[in-house]
Amino acid sequence: MKYISSSRMKAIDTNGVYLGMSPLQLMENAGAAIAQSVKERLGSGKVLLVAGRGNNGGDAFVAARHLAGIPGYIVRVILLGKDRDIGTEEALHNFSLLRFSRVQILEVRDSSQLTASEWFSEADLLVDAVFGTGIKGSIKEPESTAIDLINREGKAGKTVIAVDIPSGLDPDGGNFEKAVYADFTVTFHRMKTGLLTERAKEYAGTVKVAEIGVCADAEHYVGPGDLQMLQKRKPEAHKGNAGRILIIGGGPYSGAPALAALAALKSGADLVTAAVPESVSGIVASYSPDLIVRKLSSNILSPEDLAILPDLINSHDVVVMGMGLGRATETLEAVRKILPFCRKAVLDADALSALSGILFETLAGNCEIIITPHGGEFARLRGMETPDDPEAREKAVREFSEEKGVVTLLKGKTDIISDGKQISLNRTGNPGMTVGGTGDVLAGITGAFFSRNPAFLAAACAAFINGAAGDLAFEKAGNALLATDVLEKIPEIIKEAGIG
C-alpha cells in the first residue's frame, strides 16, 4: 500500500496548482466523496458537519451542499469560528455557497455555545472536519470541546465519519493529546502515514482512500511543492547553520570547481571551501572573494593531499567532489581514499570514474552519497548501456540506486532521481544547458541542499532549481547561454519559491 506524510501531501497539492489544477476542483471532489460516504451510511436523517476554518472544513462545506440537495436529509454545519476567520479562499468560497443551499449554519467562538447547542444530540450522523493533516501544537478551544462532543455522540451509538484523518490524530504517526473516535475515515489520494499505526486504528475505524483527481505528474515530477519541504533558514541561525560545503576539484580544469562552489553559495550555504590543486588555486580564488580556497599539494589531486583533507572534511557538512579533477591514476586513487572520511558526499564528473562495486560496499552505512552522472557516465558505472526508453531508464536508475545504496540523479532531457525506493522526475531545463559547466552548477546546488536535507529531497530539488534557473537564463540568452548565466539566476528561483 502506498502511503505518504502530511508534508508530502501538501507538496503534491502545491505541485498540482503549479501544473494548473484548481484547488476548488480538488475540494469539490473531496466534498463529493464525503457526501457519498454519508449516503452509504445514512439513507435519510439529520447530518451534523463540525468544521474547522481550514481546507478540511472547506471539504465539509462542499459535502453539506451536496447532501442538502437530496430529499430526506436535514443538513447542519457548525463552524468553529466566524466566517471572516476562514483561512483559505477555497474554503470561504464554499462556505458562502451554503447560504444558498438550505443548510443550517451555526458559527461559534467559544465552547459554551457548543455545549448549549442541541445539534449534537439531535444528529443521526456526525462528520468530523475540525482539523486536517495540518494540525500543530496543543488543541485549543472551542476545538477541544467539539472533539469531546463528537466522541460523546459516538459512544451513544451515532455514526461518526472523519474527513481525511480523525481530528487530533497526528497525521505522521507521532504522539497526540486527544482525537475523534471515528467509525469511518475518508482520506484523500493516498493513505496517510499516521493512519497505519496500531494506536490510530482505534480512532480511524474503517479507512477508505478516495481519489479526488490529483494529476499524476503532481506526484511524480518535482515542483514548487517539493521545494517547500526543504529546511528553511531560521531567524536565530548562526554562521554555519545553513551548511558548510567542501568542494574538491580542479587541476586540469579551473572553472568547474569555482562554478560548483559559487552555486553552493548562491543556493544558501553559509561557508564554501574550495580545495584545489596549487596550480589553479589562484584562478579559483579570483572568481569571488566569497570563496575560501585551500591549496592542495601539486598540479592534480593526489594521495599526498590526505595529509590535510581529513581535517577539512571533518569541519564541513558535505563534500562535493569531481568537477575538473581529471582521471589521472593517482587522482582516482585519492578519491577512493578520501571517501571513507566523508559523512555526506556529492560525486560528479571525474569522481564517478573512481567508483566500483567494492568501494560502494566499503562505504555502505558510513557515507551518504548522491551521484550526478549523465547517460554516458551512468553506463560506465553500470557496465552496460543506459536505456533510451523512459520506463526502462527509470527502472535502471532505481535498481542501481537500490543495489549500491546511493541516491542517483541521472541528468538528461528528463532528469531521473531515485534512492532505490522512490523515483522523482524533473522536466525543468532546456537544450541550451548542454553547454559546459551547468553540471558543475548542479553539483554545487545539490551539496548546499544536502547539508540540511535528506539526500533524495536535496537531489530532486537541486535538479528542479538548476533547470528552472537555466530556463530563466534561456529567455535572455537562448542557446548562447553560459553556465555563469544559470548561476546568476539561482537566487531568483530560490526567492520565488520562498525558501531563501
Side-chain angles (χ1 to χ4, degrees):
M1 174 186 295
K2 288 187 176 181
Y3 58 90
I4 56 174
S5 66
S6 59
S7 58
R8 181 63 186 141
M9 189 66 236
K10 184 178 179 182
I12 291 169
D13 286 341
T14 302
N15 288 346
V17 174
Y18 171 70
L19 295 175
M21 281 205 71
S22 164
L24 270 174
Q25 183 62 57
L26 292 178
M27 186 173 285
E28 186 70 23
N29 294 346
I34 298 163
Q36 181 60 35
S37 294
V38 171
K39 290 188 287 182
E40 290 170 358
R41 282 153 188 80
L42 183 70
S44 63
K46 293 180 179 177
V47 180
L48 175 61
L49 301 99
V50 185
R53 300 180 298 278
N55 281 336
N56 201 243
D59 298 336
F61 303 150
V62 174
R65 172 164 46 82
H66 279 249
L67 291 167
I70 302 172
Y73 288 106
I74 297 173
V75 183
R76 292 168 167 172
V77 169
I78 291 180
L79 172 63
L80 301 176
K82 297 294 184 182
D83 59 0
R84 63 176 177 271
D85 300 323
I86 293 174
T88 70
E89 291 182 11
E90 294 77 27
L92 182 59
H93 171 81
N94 280 301
F95 182 77
S96 68
L97 294 177
L98 295 183
R99 303 188 187 280
F100 311 105
S101 304
R102 300 183 182 180
V103 173
Q104 299 176 48
I105 302 169
L106 176 63
E107 299 178 36
V108 301
R109 291 302 295 266
D110 58 66
S111 55
S112 63
Q113 292 175 274
L114 287 173
T115 53
S117 174
E118 296 180 352
W119 284 9
F120 285 91
S121 59
E122 292 176 352
D124 298 306
L125 181 148
L126 298 95
V127 174
D128 157 37
V130 178
F131 295 120
T133 55
I135 183 172
K136 294 177 182 177
S138 60
I139 299 173
K140 300 179 175 61
E141 294 293 354
E143 289 81 6
S144 181
T145 294
I147 290 172
D148 292 339
L149 292 173
I150 292 170
N151 285 340
R152 182 193 71 186
E153 298 305 318
K155 287 179 181 178
K158 308 239 181 110
T159 299
V160 175
I161 296 176
V163 176
D164 210 14
I165 196 163
S167 291
L169 191 73
D170 186 280
D172 298 315
N175 294 325
F176 56 94
E177 178 185 343
K178 65 161 72 171
V180 165
Y181 287 92
D183 300 293
F184 189 78
T185 298
V186 185
T187 197
F188 306 120
H189 184 61
R190 295 269 183 256
M191 179 68 77
K192 306 308 183 296
T193 306
L195 294 172
L196 296 173
T197 66
E198 284 302 314
R199 191 180 177 197
K201 293 175 184 177
E202 177 185 356
Y203 291 86
T206 302
V207 180
K208 175 184 178 181
V209 179
E211 288 296 337
I212 55 173
V214 173
C215 293
D217 284 4
E219 185 167 10
H220 298 302
Y221 280 81
V222 192
D226 298 88
L227 305 187
Q228 293 301 316
M229 296 175 69
L230 292 169
Q231 287 288 325
K232 295 176 178 60
R233 192 186 297 262
K234 297 179 180 177
E236 66 274 15
H238 300 288
K239 184 186 292 185
N241 290 164
R244 298 170 183 263
I245 313 301
L246 176 63
I247 306 292
I248 301 177
Y253 305 97
S254 58
L259 287 169
L262 289 169
L265 282 171
K266 286 183 176 292
S267 300
D270 275 348
L271 294 168
V272 178
T273 301
V276 297
E278 184 178 10
S279 57
V280 297
S281 60
I283 298 173
V284 173
S286 71
Y287 272 80
S288 173
D290 297 303
L291 296 179
I292 303 168
V293 178
R294 290 294 302 268
K295 296 179 184 179
L296 299 180
S297 59
S298 64
N299 292 335
I300 60 172
L301 178 69
S302 66
E304 287 72 29
D305 294 316
L306 267 76
I308 65 166
L309 283 174
D311 287 342
L312 268 178
I313 291 168
N314 191 51
S315 64
H316 290 76
D317 301 309
V318 179
V319 174
V320 181
M321 183 162 51
M323 301 72 56
L325 280 178
R327 299 180 194 171
T329 301
E330 54 265 52
T331 295
L332 299 184
E333 180 187 352
V335 171
R336 286 188 281 268
K337 289 184 175 180
I338 288 167
L339 281 171
F341 292 99
C342 301
R343 298 181 301 276
K344 291 182 173 184
V346 177
L347 304 181
D348 182 45
D350 297 324
L352 298 173
S353 298
L355 297 179
S356 67
I358 295 174
L359 181 58
F360 280 123
E361 292 170 12
T362 303
L363 295 172
N366 298 313
C367 177
E368 290 185 81
I369 296 176
I370 299 173
I371 61 172
T372 59
H374 55 58
E377 291 164 338
F378 190 55
R380 289 193 289 274
L381 283 170
R382 296 172 67 232
M384 62 183 77
E385 286 300 312
T386 301
D388 291 326
D389 176 73
E391 288 188 12
R393 201 175 178 92
E394 290 176 35
K395 183 173 182 285
V397 172
R398 182 185 58 77
E399 289 180 348
F400 179 86
S401 301
E402 182 178 30
E403 178 187 347
K404 304 302 184 185
V406 300
V407 169
T408 303
L409 194 177
L410 177 60
K411 296 176 286 195
K413 180 180 179 182
T414 297
D415 304 316
I416 303 172
I417 306 98
S418 180
D419 60 0
K421 297 179 182 136
Q422 53 191 333
I423 284 183
S424 276
L425 307 176
N426 175 60
R427 58 162 62 97
T428 61
N430 57 80
M433 294 181 70
T434 56
V435 66
T438 57
D440 305 317
V441 173
L442 172 61
I445 300 171
T446 305
F449 290 162
F450 193 16
S451 66
R452 296 191 293 157
N453 298 280
F456 178 78
L457 177 65
C461 292
F464 180 90
I465 286 180
N466 187 58
D471 289 339
L472 271 184
F474 186 81
E475 289 178 11
K476 182 176 181 180
N479 287 326
L481 73 79
L482 303 175
T484 48
D485 298 327
V486 178
L487 193 68
E488 293 306 315
K489 295 298 182 181
I490 293 172
E492 191 173 337
I493 299 296
I494 287 178
K495 182 179 180 181
E496 185 179 314
I499 58 173

